[in-house]
């Protein structure tokens, strides 16, 4: 039987317990503001999203700026270095079209002397004009188009008036012989035949001059088949060397990697180096801005359609007028 003292203590404890507030779990959850719980989850999701965006931007810029190098200036490719790419669109089943799209690099397809002869040929003809107002100066021997400030001139009447016969220039025969050599290497690498030279095929000289027109902005991504229309294959023959004759100016293929972000595959120009590729969306590309020096190259377009073919230059007149811009004009002061 409990003592009086124990009974009194129990009674006191019961009375204090009755006076104390009771926090039932359901009541607490019911009266807890819901937005506190939701805000925590919302902010977590926002931070996750922002983190993903920052990571994607970093990855895109990292790959785009650094990328991977298909052809280094320090390497030598005695045999074609071929990189296969899936064709962006189906190719017709004819001998001219490859069923394996891609790109390749090959060094020393012409001699050092022939490279010098081509550079001299282009430079001698470009001297009749002040060149383009922006960084690039273009010379197309087939149409006669030569950059003249913010426009183009037909260089053949100017050369004739100055009694300059480029057909007698040592580099002119090298130009025609080199075209044949480039076409042979292209057909061999892609196992195709029946190709035709197409427009525009041209020399380019690029410096670090500030771009003045949209045509001077050569560093934007583009696809040759879209830009030029007739191109099925593109070849570039470099006449100057990266980090020796110029800085910047690397050729950049814009690819996709496993992150689905863009990354870049670089070709570093070397004198006598040939870089060829199928001209479709699978080889979207650009050229880095030249930051110093002078970058020189020769661009060839090849087509499978005979109707889009052009002849080799004659040396005294245009062999095609389709590549000459509509705004062509004769410079009165320079003629």
């Amino acid at each position: 039987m409990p003592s009086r003292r124990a009974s009194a203590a129990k009674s006191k404890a019961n009375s204090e317990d009755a006076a104390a507030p009771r926090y039932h779990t359901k009541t607490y959850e019911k009266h807890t503001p819901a937005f506190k719980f939701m805000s925590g989850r919302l902010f977590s999701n926002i931070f996750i999203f922002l983190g993903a965006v920052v990571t994607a931007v970093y990855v895109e810029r990292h790959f785009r700026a650094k990328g991977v190098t298909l052809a280094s200036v320090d390497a030598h490719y005695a045999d074609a270095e071929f990189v296969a790419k899936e064709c962006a669109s189906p190719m017709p089943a004819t001998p001219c079209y490859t069923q394996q799209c891609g790109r390749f690099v090959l060094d020393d397809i012409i001699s050092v002397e022939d490279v010098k002869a081509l550079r001299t040929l282009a430079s001698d003809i470009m001297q009749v004009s002040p060149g383009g107002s922006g960084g690039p100066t273009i010379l197309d021997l087939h149409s006669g188009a030569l950059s003249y400030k913010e426009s183009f001139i037909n260089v053949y009447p100017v050369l004739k008036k100055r009694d300059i016969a480029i057909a007698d220039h040592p580099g002119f025969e090298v130009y025609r012989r080199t075209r044949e050599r480039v076409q042979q290497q292209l057909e061999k690498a892609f196992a195709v035949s029946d190709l035709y030279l197409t427009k525009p095929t041209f020399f380019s000289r690029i410096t670090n001059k500030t771009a003045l027109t949209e045509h001077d902005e050569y560093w934007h991504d583009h696809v040759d088949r879209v830009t030029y229309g007739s191109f099925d294959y593109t070849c570039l023959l470099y006449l100057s060397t990266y980090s020796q004759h110029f800085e910047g100016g690397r050729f950049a293929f814009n690819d996709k990697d496993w992150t689905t972000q863009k990354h870049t595959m670089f070709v570093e120009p070397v004198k006598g180096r040939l870089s060829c590729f199928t001209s479709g969306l699978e080889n979207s590309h650009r050229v880095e801005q030249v930051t110093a020096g002078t970058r020189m190259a020769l661009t060839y377009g090849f087509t499978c359609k005979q109707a889009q073919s052009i002849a080799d230059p004659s040396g005294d007149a245009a062999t095609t007028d389709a590549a000459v811009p509509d705004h062509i004009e004769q410079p009165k002061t320079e003629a």
Side-chain angles (χ1 to χ4, degrees), residues 163-181:
D163 199 26
I164 300 174
I166 64 170
D168 298 330
H169 194 287
F172 188 70
E173 180 55 35
V174 174
Y175 180 89
R176 302 211 296 188
R177 187 172 68 243
T178 300
R179 193 274 303 165
E180 295 174 352
R181 175 71 171 157

Side-chain angles (χ1 to χ4, degrees), residues 77-266:
Y77 303 94
D79 298 314
E81 181 73 9
F82 192 90
V83 176
K85 299 288 292 182
E86 182 179 353
C87 298
S89 57
M91 293 292 186
T94 67
C96 181
Y97 290 98
T98 181
Q99 299 305 310
Q100 179 61 76
C101 292
R103 59 193 70 145
F104 75 89
V105 173
L106 181 64
D107 282 333
D108 298 334
I109 72 151
I110 60 174
S111 67
V112 174
E113 292 75 21
D114 282 354
V115 170
K116 184 178 180 180
L118 291 173
R119 283 176 58 94
T120 303
L121 173 66
S123 298
D124 287 351
I125 298 174
M126 287 178 178
Q127 286 179 358
V128 306
S129 164
S133 295
T137 294
I138 303 300
L139 170 63
D140 180 348
L141 292 180
H142 304 264
S143 68
L146 172 63
S147 299
Y148 183 84
K149 298 181 180 179
E150 296 181 15
S151 185
F152 289 84
I153 61 169
N154 185 340
V155 73
Y156 285 114
V158 180
L159 293 173
K160 185 176 182 179
K161 186 172 183 178
R162 298 186 181 189
D163 199 26
I164 300 174
I166 64 170
D168 298 330
H169 194 287
F172 188 70
E173 180 55 35
V174 174
Y175 180 89
R176 302 211 296 188
R177 187 172 68 243
T178 300
R179 193 274 303 165
E180 295 174 352
R181 175 71 171 157
V182 168
Q183 184 170 339
Q184 288 170 357
Q185 293 300 321
L186 173 62
E187 292 180 341
K188 178 181 178 181
F190 283 102
V192 296
S193 60
D194 302 333
L195 289 176
Y196 301 96
L197 190 68
T198 192
K199 62 181 183 293
T201 287
F202 57 91
F203 287 100
S204 61
R205 182 186 69 197
I206 305 177
T207 67
N208 65 346
K209 290 172 65 176
T210 301
L212 298 182
T213 71
E214 62 179 9
H215 301 294
D216 296 330
E217 298 179 0
Y218 54 86
W219 53 83
H220 298 299
D221 295 351
H222 64 279
V223 176
D224 284 350
R225 186 171 292 152
V226 175
T227 301
Y228 301 120
S230 60
F231 279 36
D232 290 310
Y233 301 89
T234 305
C235 286
L236 301 166
L237 177 61
Y238 295 110
L239 305 177
S240 54
T241 299
Y242 169 70
S243 80
Q244 179 181 342
H245 300 108
F246 63 92
E247 297 294 337
R250 293 182 297 174
F251 188 92
F253 290 107
N254 299 317
D255 292 332
K256 298 281 187 177
D257 67 359
W258 63 271
T259 65
T260 72
Q261 298 295 324
K262 277 186 176 180
H263 82 280
T264 304
M265 180 174 281
F266 289 111

